Amino acid sequence: MNELNPFGSEDREQNGGAIAAVGEAREIAEVKAAMAVAQMYPRDQRKAMDRILNACARPTLAEKAQYAFARGGQEITGPSIRLAETIAQGWGHLQYGMRELSNVGGASEVEAYCWDLESNVRKSIQFTVSHVRNTKKGSYALTDSRDIYENVANNGARRVRACILAIVPGDVVEAAEQACEQTLRAKGDIYEGSLGTLLLVGEERLAKLLEAFAAFGVDKEAIEKKIQRRMDSILPAQVVSLGRIYNSLRDGMSKPHEWFDVTNEAPKMPEDIANLNDLAKAAA
């Protein structure tokens, strides 16, 4: 291309606009096709519920099904991001996710959404994510593209969960949570004795529990102070509660200092710890 051509930049802009128009037309066609299929083959709610409950029978999902966060001195629990995604997949005819609307000035404008193609009901949340990481030692700007992506993804996942839960009927979500709790109880090593129901947790499982929390700077002493007893005498309800707290920390719903008496900044979670079924295996 001749660099002296005064219309060169205009040509490039027109080509870019044409490509964008083609992409937009393709997206519209895909959505229309998905809506047509949803209308043609509406969901069977009974089968959809069966799919969700069958998924909740998997211990690997049940372990990650709930999170907890502290509010007003009380522990509030709810369905985790993983459970919300599983419910959406089982319910069917849902499109959900997030998209970056803009990335300028050290911040990303993001939209999370969930769309029921069958009923044409849509929930969306728009929010801003600053490219900044906050620590106890201060804040610093994120410049690496991977760090920025992970920061946006972590913040967006919680909004996607909220959108899914706003679309799926509440009683479906409650049934899924109850099914996950039943799965955990069935999987645990339960002992019925004069002192009531106790959960037998072996040394290996306790070690994995401690290893999971250590990734967030929480040691054995802090956990024992939280549960007000030694680790080798932990109760079933406390194991479940710790599991929800761990899910909350892992998903970025809360910080270690909100639950435990810790002062040091938590180290970055290693990849091998992040991919374990950590706490749930300890609770099994």
Side-chain angles (χ1 to χ4, degrees):
M1 179 183 295
N2 189 343
E3 295 297 329
L4 299 180
N5 185 347
F7 302 103
S9 60
E10 181 178 342
D11 291 341
R12 286 193 295 269
E13 291 177 359
Q14 290 178 349
N15 290 336
I19 294 175
V22 171
E24 183 178 356
R26 181 168 57 248
E27 291 180 3
I28 293 175
E30 290 175 353
V31 170
K32 287 184 176 180
M35 293 184 68
V37 171
Q39 294 293 331
M40 189 179 304
Y41 304 102
R43 73 171 60 87
D44 184 323
Q45 295 187 358
R46 179 179 298 179
K47 291 183 178 179
M49 194 73 247
D50 286 341
R51 287 194 296 267
I52 294 171
L53 295 179
N54 287 337
C56 293
R58 301 199 310 267
T60 51
L61 172 63
E63 292 159 354
K64 304 175 183 178
Q66 288 187 315
Y67 71 90
F69 63 93
R71 176 181 293 172
Q74 295 183 341
E75 181 178 307
I76 309 300
T77 62
S80 68
I81 296 168
R82 302 286 83 80
L83 180 57
E85 291 175 342
T86 300
I87 292 173
Q89 293 166 6
W91 195 240
H93 292 328
L94 295 182
Q95 285 192 356
Y96 59 91
M98 60 181 174
R99 56 177 182 151
E100 190 175 49
L101 304 178
S102 66
N103 184 343
V104 294
S108 295
E109 292 290 334
V110 187
E111 180 187 40
Y113 63 91
C114 181
W115 188 0
D116 189 330
L117 298 172
E118 183 178 327
S119 63
N120 198 25
V121 175
R122 190 175 191 272
K123 171 67 177 179
S124 64
I125 301 175
Q126 292 189 7
F127 56 99
T128 303
V129 180
S130 299
H131 300 165
V132 175
R133 177 162 293 159
N134 299 314
T135 69
K136 291 185 177 180
K137 297 180 181 180
S139 303
Y140 61 92
L142 299 176
T143 56
D144 184 77
S145 58
R146 178 178 178 180
D147 290 339
I148 293 174
Y149 167 79
E150 291 178 349
N151 187 40
V152 173
N154 288 337
N155 282 273
R158 297 194 292 273
R159 274 77 174 193
V160 172
R161 179 185 65 86
C163 291
I164 292 174
L165 298 181
I167 294 297
V168 178
D171 57 337
V172 174
V173 178
E174 292 175 1
E177 290 185 275
Q178 293 174 3
C180 288
E181 291 182 0
Q182 292 175 0
T183 299
L184 289 180
R185 287 197 297 269
K187 185 187 176 188
D189 297 326
I190 304 298
Y191 169 74
E192 297 286 351
S194 59
L195 298 179
T197 303
L198 299 178
L199 179 62
L200 305 180
V201 183
E203 293 183 1
E204 182 180 355
R205 292 168 180 171
L206 286 177
K208 290 181 178 180
L209 185 151
L210 295 174
E211 185 181 17
F213 274 104
F216 295 97
V218 180
D219 58 16
K220 179 180 178 181
E221 181 180 354
I223 295 176
E224 291 181 336
K225 187 174 182 180
K226 168 73 174 176
I227 65 177
Q228 294 294 299
R229 62 174 59 235
R230 300 189 313 275
M231 289 294 294
D232 56 8
S233 62
I234 192 169
L235 297 176
Q238 292 172 327
V239 175
V240 174
S241 178
L242 287 173
R244 291 168 177 165
I245 292 173
Y246 175 73
N247 291 336
S248 176
L249 297 176
R250 184 196 58 210
D251 293 342
M253 301 292 295
S254 62
K255 303 294 183 182
H257 67 84
E258 298 177 26
W259 301 104
F260 305 97
D261 185 11
V262 293
T263 56
N264 297 328
E265 181 182 353
K268 185 175 180 180
M269 181 183 292
E271 290 293 333
D272 57 340
I273 300 297
N275 294 329
L276 289 176
N277 291 327
D278 311 306
L279 198 53
K281 287 184 177 178

